[in-house]
Amino acid sequence: MSNSHSDTIPLHPSNSQSDIDEIRSLIDDSVHSGPAVVLPARHPASTPPPSSSPFISSNIPPPPPVSSSSSLQKLQSVPAAPPPPPPVGNSSSIVANGFGPPPNTLTEPVLDTVKRDLWRIVSNLKLVVFPNPFREDPGKALRDWDLWGPFFFIVFLGVALSWSASVKKSQVFAVAFALLAAGAVILTLNVLLLGGHIIFFQSLSLLGYCLFPLDVGALICMLKDNVVAKVIIVCLALAWSSWAAYPFMSSAVNMNRKALALYPVLLMYLSVGFLIISID
Amino acid sequence: MDLSQPEEENYANPKTCFFHVLFKASALAFYMLSTLFADSFVIIFVITVVLAALDFWVVKNVSGRILVGLRWWNEINEQGESIWRFECLDHESLARINQKDSWLFWWTLYLNAIAWTIFGIFSLVRLEVDYLLVVGVCLSLAIANIIGFTKCRKDAKNKIQAFASRTIASRFSSTLQSAFSLV
């Protein structure tokens, strides 16, 4: 009978078997697609910190390893981690047997973490500064933000400016650093106050990464001393920075406030450009 | 039964503990002794902040995992909202965490923040704004780690309680079911 046939098809969406299948397919996706892809959270949150514990329930496997952390890192030659204590190994092997490599980040070796973070910096840089298919959608492009890249770029810019200065080196550095850091924070607040939808750290990260062209410009200006050449190089770098920052900032606010959001960003980069040109 | 009791409990991960303390201590020491090492403020700033950033990373990614079995990070989901994620080991592993390790972990975190606060007060009193900047950056890194791990630990406790009550409830109901099926 057709009725009994349809009865055997599980239609209820919250069947535990279908949950496990869904989790398994998510894990397979994550294993195949590499570390830079972020998978949707299992419980999309409307409130701030909901948490997920992958390890508490031993029969339901943890959610797949999405982008890890806002961690800062720099270690180029990090020592190999001491082997994790045995109980930790046991908890991961429960998962490993059923679903391939352990999809958790608590027991991975330190070198994996370092590599993952390094890779994330490079991919963020490529996404922000160079043309890429995600440009019009800011949420996707800088989904796994990190602050290491911006940190490097701001410090590098400060050091380059301070190097080129012949007097008051430390003041130049401090001013450059404070200007860029405070500027990024204030610009983000500006967008938020204009009613825009942007996440604080994501925007900080973005504004920091967009400093990369200005870093390149400052480096070249450090080496060449001709004023006209400096002006040209800085203008190019400025245009590149603005081109990089524009889509993210403008799509965060609605149409009639775009200029209000964009203008301070351009102003900040312009003032950095002036600093680069006028330092002697 | 109690194999750990007869011998005195030692650090289970001495190398991790060492690195956990190393960067904090060197950032603080370098800041204090900076006038002996370098004249230039730029160098002091860069080295101190780099050491503090390295310490932040080590605590967040390495020693947090290994010494206390906790980890926290931030994600942005499909809808573009930011979620804080907390991860912890399961109940038996957490119970087996070395007490000395976790004592060292938490106490050095707190002492580090207190030390930077004291340095901040000194430079505020002396009106050295440059050094206040350094202290501000290092202090914010230290506080970020403290807040993250404290939230993570609370979360872990809640989850353990929830898991325990769920396990009890499920065992209870399965016992009932088997009892009724026999009848």
Side-chain angles (χ1 to χ4, degrees):
Chain A
M1 314 292 286
S2 61
N3 279 347
S4 60
H5 180 62
S6 68
D7 280 345
T8 60
I9 299 174
L11 291 174
H12 199 289
S14 61
N15 186 356
S16 64
Q17 183 57 39
S18 67
D19 278 350
I20 295 183
D21 287 340
E22 179 191 286
I23 296 169
R24 196 174 292 168
S25 66
L26 281 173
I27 293 175
D28 287 343
D29 284 338
S30 77
V31 166
H32 294 316
S33 57
V37 170
V38 175
L39 298 171
R42 242 177 93 67
H43 306 286
S46 51
T47 60
S51 54
S52 78
S53 156
F55 293 112
I56 285 299
S57 47
S58 52
N59 42 8
I60 299 177
V66 290
S67 64
S68 71
S69 55
S70 63
S71 60
L72 314 177
Q73 75 81 36
K74 195 185 178 231
L75 290 171
Q76 310 298 335
S77 54
V78 67
V88 174
N90 283 346
S91 77
S92 70
S93 64
I94 295 172
V95 180
N97 292 337
F99 299 99
N104 66 69
T105 54
L106 265 180
T107 55
E108 65 181 5
V110 173
L111 239 92
D112 276 5
T113 316
V114 175
K115 278 193 276 193
R116 191 152 42 92
D117 283 345
L118 272 176
W119 173 248
R120 191 161 26 142
I121 296 180
V122 172
S123 81
N124 274 343
L125 183 62
K126 283 195 291 201
L127 282 174
V128 171
V129 177
F130 298 110
N132 75 82
F134 291 131
R135 269 193 82 76
E136 296 314 313
D137 187 353
K140 280 211 183 71
L142 212 53
R143 175 80 52 75
D144 37 353
W145 52 270
D146 73 292
L147 288 176
W148 277 102
F151 175 66
F152 286 152
F153 295 146
I154 294 184
V155 166
F156 181 80
L157 195 56
V159 168
L161 286 175
S162 148
W163 183 290
S164 324
S166 45
V167 294
K168 288 192 181 170
K169 286 177 185 270
S170 58
Q171 241 177 354
V172 168
F173 180 86
V175 164
F177 186 93
L179 168 73
L180 287 167
V185 171
I186 293 178
L187 285 174
T188 311
L189 284 178
N190 181 36
V191 170
L192 288 173
L193 287 173
L194 282 175
H197 298 108
I198 202 166
I199 296 170
F200 185 73
F201 286 112
Q202 196 181 16
S203 156
L204 282 185
S205 171
L206 166 81
L207 288 169
Y209 273 111
C210 290
L211 277 178
F212 175 72
L214 283 168
D215 271 0
V216 171
L219 186 63
I220 302 180
C221 286
M222 222 164 67
L223 306 170
K224 282 186 144 325
D225 223 359
N226 186 354
V227 177
V228 177
K230 274 194 196 178
V231 171
I232 296 177
I233 291 172
V234 167
C235 282
L236 284 175
L238 200 55
W240 187 7
S241 273
S242 314
W243 174 83
Y246 166 78
F248 300 101
M249 287 315 224
S250 67
S251 54
V253 289
N254 54 17
M255 288 296 297
N256 29 1
R257 294 181 176 176
K258 264 193 198 177
L260 281 174
L262 275 176
Y263 171 70
V265 178
L266 299 179
L267 193 60
M268 183 176 90
Y269 288 149
L270 194 66
S271 55
V272 173
F274 266 129
L275 265 181
I276 298 177
I277 297 180
S278 60
I279 287 277
D280 65 336
Chain B
M1 310 186 171
D2 233 4
L3 293 174
S4 62
Q5 290 303 49
E7 64 200 27
E8 188 180 290
E9 208 186 0
N10 228 331
Y11 293 106
N13 296 295
K15 260 198 271 179
T16 314
C17 291
F18 174 68
F19 277 104
H20 178 79
V21 178
L22 172 74
F23 289 118
K24 288 192 186 48
S26 50
L28 286 166
F30 188 82
Y31 180 80
M32 268 195 294
L33 306 173
S34 55
T35 45
L36 297 175
F37 285 120
D39 279 333
S40 149
F41 168 76
V42 177
I43 298 189
I44 296 171
F45 183 100
V46 172
I47 296 187
T48 310
V49 171
V50 162
L51 285 172
L54 280 175
D55 164 67
F56 179 86
W57 185 86
V58 164
V59 168
K60 188 163 181 286
N61 287 296
V62 178
S63 55
R65 278 197 276 136
I66 296 181
L67 295 182
V68 288
L70 298 170
R71 194 167 195 188
W72 60 277
W73 72 89
N74 177 284
E75 270 174 15
I76 300 180
N77 65 2
E78 285 285 322
Q79 285 80 24
E81 287 154 359
S82 115
I83 307 183
W84 293 95
R85 291 208 166 263
F86 304 110
E87 219 180 357
C88 64
L89 296 176
D90 60 28
H91 185 51
E92 304 104 41
S93 313
L94 269 183
R96 272 180 272 180
I97 295 273
N98 188 335
Q99 287 310 308
K100 260 195 181 178
D101 276 355
S102 87
W103 178 91
L104 176 79
F105 178 84
W106 289 105
W107 272 103
T108 48
L109 274 183
Y110 295 138
L111 286 176
N112 188 35
I114 293 175
W116 281 116
T117 316
I118 295 179
F119 282 148
I121 295 178
F122 279 165
S123 62
L124 192 61
V125 164
R126 283 192 234 156
L127 292 178
E128 290 169 345
V129 188
D130 295 347
Y131 288 95
L132 204 53
L133 193 57
V134 177
V135 171
V137 171
C138 299
L139 193 58
S140 53
L141 288 174
I143 290 183
N145 249 340
I146 290 180
I147 293 182
F149 276 108
T150 311
K151 276 198 174 158
C152 198
R153 189 170 55 164
K154 272 196 214 146
D155 188 69
K157 284 197 186 129
N158 288 341
K159 274 182 281 205
I160 289 176
Q161 281 175 349
F163 175 61
S165 56
R166 214 176 27 194
T167 310
I168 293 175
S170 70
R171 285 216 188 118
F172 186 62
S173 65
S174 69
T175 314
L176 272 183
Q177 278 176 356
S178 58
F180 275 117
S181 65
L182 285 175
V183 166

